[in-house]
Amino acid sequence: MSAPGAIVIGASAGALEALSVLLPALPASFASPVFVVVHLPPDRKSILAEIFQAKCRIPVHEAEDKEPIMAGTIYFAPPNYHLLIETENSLALSSDEPVRYSRPSIDVLFESAADTYGPALTAIVLTGANPDGADGLRRIGLAGGTVLVQDPTEAMAPEMPLAALAACPTAQVLPLAGIASFLLGV
Amino acid sequence: MHDKIEDIEIRLLLEALFLKYHYDFRKYAAASVKRRLRQAKEAMGFETFSAMQEALLHDASMLPRLLGYLTVQVSEMFRDPSYFRAIREKVVPHLRTYPSLRLWVAGCSEGEELYSLVILFREEGLEDRTLFYATDINQDALARAEAGVFDLERIQHFTENHRQSGGHSSLSSYYSAAYGRASFDKTLRKQVVFADHSLVTDAVFAEMHLISCRNVLIYFDRELQDRAIGLFKDSLARKGFLGLGAKENLRFSGHAGAFLDFVREEKIYQRRTE
C-alpha cells in the first residue's frame, strides 16, 4: 500500500509573513498532514500554533512526542526539538544536537519525511537567511517527492531558497501565490 | 526500493547488536535511530549497514564508538528553567515532609540534569537526606557524569538557566575553572550512586520519591515508552513524582491512569494512591 501524501515546509527569516499567505489558504477539506519547521529561539515558548490556529481552517498543533498523525492537520516543530516523521501514523521529537546551529532543523524533518513518504511527499522551502533545508530537499527530490522553492526574488530572505535550488536544481520555483494554488490541487 | 533495503539492514544490525552484546535498540524510535546510524556509518567509513554489522560482530572494539552515536545526549544544566522552578516551588514542599528521600535521574547521560537537581536540593536543604541514583546504559557517559567536568564555554548558559530556575546561590560556587574546563565540586557527588541500568531490559531497584527522566523517552517507540513508564510507576512511592521533558507526555501510555497531572505545563506527574 502506498503512503498517503504529506506536506513538509521549512522557513526561517520572514517565515511568519510567508506562512500567513500559505496556511490560511488551505481549505477545511484539506486531506494531507502538514509539517512545518520554523527556526525559533530555543529558550522561549512558541506561539506559532496559536497564531495560526486563529487564522486557519484546519487544526494546528505544536507537535508532541509520538503524537498520532491526523489528516488535514498542521504540526509545528516545538522550539529546541527536532521534528521527525516516525511512521505514517506517528511523529517523533528528538533533542539530538542542533544541525547547522538549528534545532528544530528543516533538514532533519525533510530527511525523515523522505524516508517515510517517498514520492507521496511535497516539500516547500520558503524564505530564510541560511542554507538549512537544502540537503533535505535534495533527498526528497531523489526519493521521487515533489519539490517546490519560493521564488528567491520575492522571498524576504533569499539565501534559503537559493541554497535549496543549488542543492536541488530540479525544484520548481514559484511565488507564494503559486505555491498556495499548487497546494489546493494536491 | 533502495530505502527498504536500508531498513532491512538496520533491523539486522540492531539484532546483531542485541544478540552479541545485549544492547537492545530494537524498540527505539526508528527515525532517530536511522539518523544516528547514518552518521555513524559515514563517520566510520562503511559503505553499507551490512558491512557495519559484519565488522561489529567480529570486532568488539567497534561497540563503544557505535554506542556513542546511539546513546550520547548533550543536555544543559537547568535546561528549561521553568521545570526546575516548578520542582523547587511545587514539589520540594511535599518532599520536605519525608525524613529520607530517594531521587532517580533515569538516563542521566553526562550528568547535566543530575548536577542541576543536586544543587537545587542543596539550596533547599534536602541534599543530606537524599540518595540520588544516576543511571545510564552508556558506561562512557556515566564515567563523564561521575567526573563532572564541563566545557567552560557552556557555563555561562548554565548560569543563566540556574538563575531563571530560582537558584539562590551562585553557580560559580560549585565548580572550579581551569584550562577551559569547569570541574564540579566532588561534594556534589557524595550522595550520588552512579549505576549501569537499562530502561529497556532492567527492573525496579529501589522505591523513589522523585524520578526525573527528561528527553529520554522520546528516543523510544510507544511500546518501549510504555515499559519505561510502567517501571517508573512501579518504582515510585505512593504520591511520588515523575518529571518528563517539555514535549513528552503520558497521554499515549497504558499507565496514564496511575498518574495525576501535578504541574501540567511542566510535565510533572504524581503517582496516585491506590
Side-chain angles (χ1 to χ4, degrees), chain B residues 236 240-244 248-251 259-264 267-271:
Chain B
L236 280 172
F241 298 92
L242 170 65
L244 300 179
E248 295 170 321
N249 62 73
L250 296 181
R251 256 193 303 162
F259 294 90
L260 297 165
D261 282 326
F262 186 71
V263 185
R264 190 191 191 99
K267 305 296 164 68
I268 298 172
Y269 299 89
Q270 186 173 36
R271 178 87 166 87

Side-chain angles (χ1 to χ4, degrees), chain B residues 3-217:
Chain B
D3 284 348
K4 299 299 172 202
I5 292 173
E6 189 186 42
D7 289 344
I8 293 168
E9 288 182 291
I10 286 174
R11 279 179 62 181
L12 293 172
L13 174 65
L14 296 180
E15 200 65 41
L17 183 59
F18 175 66
L19 292 173
K20 172 91 166 111
Y21 301 104
H22 307 291
Y23 282 98
D24 193 352
F25 293 91
R26 295 172 301 173
K27 296 255 163 229
Y28 272 48
S32 282
V33 164
K34 188 186 278 191
R35 214 182 137 253
R36 288 170 166 215
L37 285 177
R38 280 175 177 161
Q39 288 173 339
K41 177 166 76 106
E42 193 172 317
M44 295 171 159
F46 290 103
E47 281 294 310
T48 65
F49 289 116
S50 302
M52 209 165 146
Q53 178 204 313
E54 184 179 4
L56 179 70
L57 284 173
H58 297 287
D59 176 7
S61 73
M62 265 188 65
L63 181 65
R65 279 189 78 195
L66 186 59
L67 287 181
Y69 279 95
L70 283 171
T71 62
V72 167
Q73 268 300 351
V74 178
S75 184
E76 359 175 308
M77 288 180 70
F78 297 95
R79 176 175 175 170
D80 305 323
S82 56
Y83 170 81
F84 290 93
R85 186 178 277 277
I87 296 280
R88 188 189 299 277
E89 294 176 354
K90 308 233 166 79
V91 176
V92 159
H94 287 261
L95 297 181
R96 279 192 201 291
T97 62
Y98 294 88
S100 72
L101 293 165
R102 280 173 304 275
L103 182 157
W104 179 15
V105 180
C108 69
S109 197
E110 299 186 3
E112 291 90 340
E113 189 177 339
L114 169 72
Y115 285 99
S116 307
L117 287 164
V118 175
I119 289 168
L120 191 157
F121 272 50
R122 182 176 291 189
E123 286 175 331
E124 299 302 328
L126 293 179
E127 184 195 14
D128 290 339
R129 67 171 103 155
T130 305
L131 198 51
F132 299 82
Y133 296 93
T135 64
D136 205 278
I137 57 168
N138 184 322
Q139 300 281 358
D140 292 343
L142 272 177
R144 280 195 286 275
E146 195 156 3
V149 179
F150 299 93
D151 281 342
L152 202 50
E153 61 188 23
R154 301 174 66 200
I155 293 292
Q156 189 184 351
H157 186 53
F158 294 177
T159 302
E160 178 56 23
N161 282 350
H162 173 239
R163 194 188 59 73
Q164 288 182 22
S165 78
H168 40 73
S169 60
S170 167
L171 194 65
S172 63
S173 60
Y174 302 106
Y175 64 83
S176 52
Y179 306 108
R181 297 283 183 148
S183 300
F184 277 77
D185 189 347
K186 65 176 186 304
T187 66
L188 293 170
R189 296 185 282 277
K190 69 183 194 301
Q191 299 286 87
V192 182
V193 177
F194 293 91
D196 183 344
H197 180 275
S198 164
L199 298 173
V200 184
T201 49
D202 292 335
V204 172
F205 59 92
E207 188 182 63
M208 303 294 168
H209 301 90
L210 170 60
I211 298 173
S212 192
C213 180
R214 311 196 69 218
N215 301 312
V216 174
L217 299 185

Side-chain angles (χ1 to χ4, degrees), chain A residues 156-177:
Chain A
M156 191 176 288
E159 289 85 351
M160 191 178 278
L162 286 172
L165 281 171
C168 184
T170 55
Q172 295 180 60
V173 179
L174 291 171
L176 280 178

